[in-house]
Amino acid sequence: MCESCKLEDLLEYVKNYDEVYLEFLSRYDSGMISKKKVSESMKSEGMIRPENEIQAMIKNTNPAEITKKILFSKLDYISQFKVLKSPEPEMGMQVKDMGLDESITKYLTESGISQFYKFQEDAIQNIMYGEDIIIEAPTASGKTEAFMIPIVQKAVKKPQHGGIFSVFVYPTKSLSRDQLPKIQGIASVAGISVGIFDGDTSQVERRNMLDNPPDILVTNFDVLHYHMWHQTKLADIISTAEIMVVDEAHMYAGIFGSNVHYILKRLKRICRADLQFVAASATLSDASVFCEKLFGVKMGTVSGSGRKGETDFAILFPSLRTQRALMVNLTKQLTEKNHKTMVFSNSHINSELLAIQARKQKINIKVHRAGLLSNYRRSVEKEFKEDTLCAISCTPTLELGIDVGDVDGVISSPVPVNRLVQRIGRAARKGQRGFAFLVLGNDPISQYYKNHPDDYFDDSEKSYIDPKNPFVERLQVLAMACDKPISKHELKEHHHIIEQHLKEGNLVIQDNRITPNFEKIRELLNEYSIRGIGSSVNIFLNGKKMGDRVLPIALEELHKDAIYFLAGTRYVVREFDYPKKDYAKLQRVPADHPYYTRALTEEWPTIKTIYERRKAFGVEVAFCELHIEKKVYGYAVLELGQDITQGQKTLLDEPLTYDFVTKGIVFCAPQPVTEIQTAEDEEYVEASGYHATEHVLIEGSNMITGGVSQDLGGISMGSSGLIFIYDGAIGGSGASRALYDRFEKVLERSMRIVMECPCINESGCPRCTFSYRCGNNNEFLHKNSSLEILKRINAGEQTRIINPSEHDRPLV
């Protein structure tokens, strides 16, 4: 478009802009271009928002000039705009009236705190009374003070405690070390000692701590798990603890949360006093339900908020560019005005790709994600805090309360609204104007939220764990026996697992107690990771270990000739040894290498046990235990900068195989009879309809089930209509259970996603039927067939689950 003469045209994208311009000139010479015609057409087709509708959103809010420029760019659809204004938090009692120790009152007063927020007052009183509670509040709102002050007060009242009084647990070492100075600040003034024990604690510090236990121990669940089952001196001094604090409790979902549930149970077994539990968390729609599952006790809830400045907030849908291109452009606009910016992606690869593209536009940006060395992540945090780094491309690791200093702008890919609130809560903490952008993507749920932005705010996250994961239970019961012998009258709920271990010789009966056979189980427990199940592939560069990746995802990311992303740099896998030695050797690729890879996979499901079955509309759906046989047989080569698409396929010399047991759902989709009757290739149309339906159900369910789609896999069976959706974690994570419980809503939304997508391609497009995780290169997809299937389901057509036939072709 030309702003001065108002000519505009819409042309097909090609990499060479000169070719596009020559095509434009040719069309102009032929009289095919007129003023403002394209913009009007784009408005009528819903590609961009009319100016009067944007003005109506703005009303009297007076957004910043940079925000106005973004809203009226004519490159993106503005789904929603509002200025977020935090209400003034409710105030509580004066510090001097709380009856705290004089040293604590003096410290708080000198720190500029003369009055508590009401939620802090309530939390302090509940903890003082010995209640098990959950403190829900945004990052930087005063949660730490809310649990620290009463615990220090209680510790002061027990000067002869003679051991660890309270254990503070954080999900990451970086967060615990970030919070340590704040904890020490409050504790030290009252004469309460604090120690931190993690993988970075030196041997000298460890010995001093074990000889002279601190009143408050800061640690993580990995440390607790290891030292309890090894019965070390640390496990002995922890046994005196009376209060257990779990900060960022919402992070303990999935497999990690299932393990944490058992570690808390084990801790209660070895502690001499009844443990009081305090959970601190970002806002969760089901905090009490989730935490009661996690801790195994009834818990009260205290909710609060903190002060912050106004934030311009917009939901943007990229009509004329990719999601990543829009996120990079927003980052560029903010950083050019010296606004410090955090850009959140939902996967490792997306955070890496965004940083690569941003650096090409001269943006001062670095990657911060799990899987990078802790020293590197700390250096990124330090540079950002000291204003030598303008932007961070990060994953959910920085949703946690790590202090990275002032943040002006937050850009996020779609996440459940409560996690978005956590992310954008980082902006404008110091009272300055903030900027927050939710950037929808080239995917089904984004297409839906573009048209229904209000539904986004209703779809709050449901955190999930599965304490009955059989693999977790099996290993954790062994660990319990190692912590402390099991008497015959306890742990009745694990009786069947204990009996199984006794038969296998993993546990033995001695002096009427059940004890571990250390010689047999030591290696098993040493290799077990509480953050995931299954063995890992070690990653090497020039002979040095750079990290690891858990199976089976490692097969998809580290097969020979795969492009692997690490800290903003791309590498090619030159050697992959599996299943004997389980390692991958990398070699760096040139910065201008224009491609990356995505694995091609096949999977075959077998139903082992059906736990529950019910009707969803007329469709029978079952929640069950599944055996999955997985095969990586090749990969597709894709061009950088492209969103979900199809690539050039290459087959591996030897397919990589892996099988595992997990949990999932299964149902039989109705036949798309009308589409089959008019089709030239009936089998293709039917199988492709089931495959497309499986894609839409997983991608479209994302926010209804609490953002779990990345934890789910799917298989559609070619001719039978069976569709399996399962937990990607070995043994099950609870994600598919969340889908099972809300299946009707997922079916209804999936139908609307396909129905409302304006694309006319037979196979659909990335905004309805495609999936970036598709193991079949987004082939065998049929949009109209899928729409008919979903309409029939929502209309109540009856189906029953059948057994797959030998001739079924599985599509993943």
Side-chain angles (χ1 to χ4, degrees), residues 749-770:
R749 180 165 295 180
S750 297
M751 179 183 71
R752 292 174 71 180
I753 285 169
V754 181
M755 191 186 301
E756 293 173 2
C757 184
C759 78
I760 56 174
N761 299 326
E762 179 184 88
S763 58
C765 74
R767 293 172 178 175
C768 57
T769 59
F770 285 28

Side-chain angles (χ1 to χ4, degrees), residues 79 87 160 186 243 294 327 392 411 508 741:
S79 292
Q160 304 303 316
I186 299 174
I243 304 175
L294 186 68
M327 294 175 80
I392 302 178
I411 301 164
V508 294
D741 290 340

Side-chain angles (χ1 to χ4, degrees), residues 125-136:
Q125 291 178 341
N126 275 283
I127 294 170
M128 290 298 296
Y129 292 148
E131 302 290 335
D132 296 320
I133 69 159
I134 307 154
I135 305 170
E136 275 190 298

Side-chain angles (χ1 to χ4, degrees), residues 359-371:
R359 282 200 287 267
K360 287 180 179 178
Q361 297 197 30
K362 305 294 188 283
I363 298 170
N364 181 14
I365 189 169
K366 287 188 176 180
V367 177
H368 187 293
R369 65 167 177 82

Side-chain angles (χ1 to χ4, degrees), residues 46 61 126 128 171 209 226 303 436 490 492 571 584 617 625 690:
T61 56
N126 275 283
M128 290 298 296
M209 218 177 303
Y226 177 87
S303 299
E490 67 170 330
K492 293 295 184 187
Y571 302 87
F617 301 124
E625 184 180 43
Y690 299 140

Side-chain angles (χ1 to χ4, degrees), residues 482-511:
C482 295
D483 302 341
K484 174 183 172 182
I486 300 171
S487 62
K488 287 197 169 182
H489 69 272
E490 67 170 330
L491 302 180
K492 293 295 184 187
E493 65 275 25
H494 304 299
H495 176 73
H496 65 291
I497 295 288
I498 293 170
E499 287 297 318
Q500 193 177 339
H501 281 313
L502 286 169
K503 284 178 186 174
E504 294 172 5
N506 298 324
L507 297 177
V508 294
I509 297 176
Q510 287 184 338
D511 300 327

